[in-house]
Amino acid sequence: MSTITTQDGTEIFYKDWGPKDAQPIMFHHGWPLSSDDWDSQMLFFYNQGFRVVAHDRRGHGRSAQVDFGHDMDHYASDAAAVVEHLDLRNAIHIGHSTGGGEVAAYVARYGIPQGRVAKAILVASVPPIMLDTERYPDGLPMSVFDGLRAAQAANRSAFFREVADSSFYGFNRPGAKVIPAVADNWWRQGMMGSMLAHYQGIKAFSETDQTDDLKAMSVPTLVLQGDDDQLVPYKHAAELQAQLLPDAQLKIYPGYSHGMLTVDADELNADMLAFIRG
């Protein structure tokens, strides 16, 4: 396995495929998953001639199950450690859900200051903030996130099974094409990770105000989300991101779910490739 060790001693697993002199694309996964959630994209972009990189966030997948650092600051610094270890330059950074928050934090705080980023893509991403706050009063109430913590603490396996089988991919919608293997893979990835990392990560993805990160992302950024996203409301996410980003392109997909990168991969991959090459 390929790993690096961060300055605080955390071992981070990563994948690195393709020509080392090709333009790199780095993928940042969502909660509570792993770099495996990017299989469709990594293979597609590898076959298009790109160098593709993805890592497992600390406490997730095959990275170390440490009991500290489960916050957006550490997520960004861990991503920066992988980038610097591999010396990725002129890179495209693509993040889904919590990974979109990680991309915003990395690009704003490390990527742009170090001159390493060409473009970014945010897919069904959590910034600027999911929680209902004075600054963003249309967010979700704290009771939603307390409910996630309670369900996970009561029976993480059953909770993950329910999410994968229903709202994540829209499998609970009338007439939906249900793909059991996709839900199985979601559950598998979740159960590989640390209960503590997943529990504490809820605070990271719901309560971190990333307004300043979005405003600092001066590179061209593509914002993608489905209007039937049952987990991250698009009007409080993608639409606000497009308003705050200095150079944004926004596309909302009618009827698409939070997990559209997997169940609608062909369309998403084509749109991302067009943006990258445009």
Side-chain angles (χ1 to χ4, degrees):
M1 295 207 317
S2 298
T3 63
I4 64 158
T5 301
T6 65
Q7 289 186 346
D8 66 13
T10 303
E11 190 173 73
I12 301 294
F13 167 85
Y14 68 89
K15 305 174 185 181
D16 179 13
W17 306 343
K20 300 305 180 274
D21 59 349
Q23 184 174 26
I25 302 176
M26 184 166 173
F27 299 92
H28 305 248
H29 67 79
W31 177 98
L33 304 172
S34 74
S35 56
D36 293 353
D37 202 45
W38 290 106
D39 282 352
S40 296
Q41 285 69 44
M42 289 191 70
L43 183 60
F44 174 81
F45 284 102
Y46 170 85
N47 285 334
Q48 294 292 327
F50 292 91
R51 178 182 184 181
V52 292
V53 175
H55 69 293
D56 291 355
R57 188 172 301 120
R58 64 172 58 208
H60 295 62
R62 288 139 294 203
S63 289
Q65 296 196 9
V66 294
D67 63 355
F68 59 92
H70 304 299
D71 54 69
M72 205 60 75
D73 292 341
H74 282 85
Y75 296 167
S77 64
D78 291 349
V82 175
V83 168
E84 291 161 22
H85 174 74
L86 298 176
D87 195 26
L88 304 182
R89 299 180 183 275
N90 193 37
I92 313 297
H93 285 266
I94 305 178
H96 174 245
S97 196
T98 301
E102 180 177 290
V103 165
Y106 165 74
V107 170
R109 304 175 199 181
Y110 299 92
I112 290 175
Q114 295 174 357
R116 292 182 177 271
V117 178
K119 294 180 179 180
I121 302 177
L122 304 179
V123 185
S125 296
V126 297
I129 187 171
M130 291 189 70
L131 184 66
D132 179 356
T133 63
E134 184 176 348
R135 191 179 201 178
Y136 296 106
D138 296 325
L140 299 172
M142 182 63 79
S143 60
V144 170
F145 306 107
D146 287 340
L148 297 180
R149 281 182 277 263
Q152 185 180 174
N155 189 324
R156 182 172 63 140
S157 180
F159 171 55
F160 283 180
R161 184 80 258 173
E162 179 183 357
V163 172
D165 284 341
S166 59
S167 56
F168 197 92
Y169 298 106
F171 291 161
N172 56 344
R173 295 307 198 202
K177 180 184 177 182
V178 178
I179 310 172
V182 167
D184 291 346
N185 190 42
W186 196 100
W187 179 89
R188 175 193 68 83
Q189 290 178 72
M191 294 306 294
M192 285 174 64
S194 158
M195 171 75 151
L196 181 63
H198 295 160
Y199 187 90
Q200 293 184 347
I202 293 171
K203 179 180 178 68
F205 74 63
S206 64
E207 298 182 42
T208 307
D209 189 332
Q210 294 193 263
T211 302
D212 291 342
D213 289 332
L214 292 172
K215 289 181 176 180
M217 291 178 65
S218 55
V219 296
T221 303
L222 178 63
V223 177
L224 306 174
Q225 193 163 6
D227 71 359
D228 194 32
D229 189 325
Q230 299 174 62
L231 301 183
V232 179
Y234 77 98
K235 288 186 177 295
H236 196 71
E239 290 190 353
L240 286 179
Q241 292 158 24
Q243 294 172 24
L244 292 165
L245 289 160
D247 185 358
Q249 296 180 33
L250 172 66
K251 182 171 182 178
I252 303 296
Y253 297 86
Y256 280 16
S257 67
H258 191 66
M260 62 183 183
L261 278 166
T262 299
V263 294
D264 300 291
D266 289 348
E267 184 173 357
L268 269 290
N269 290 349
D271 287 346
M272 292 190 292
L273 179 63
F275 170 74
I276 290 170
R277 288 185 168 165

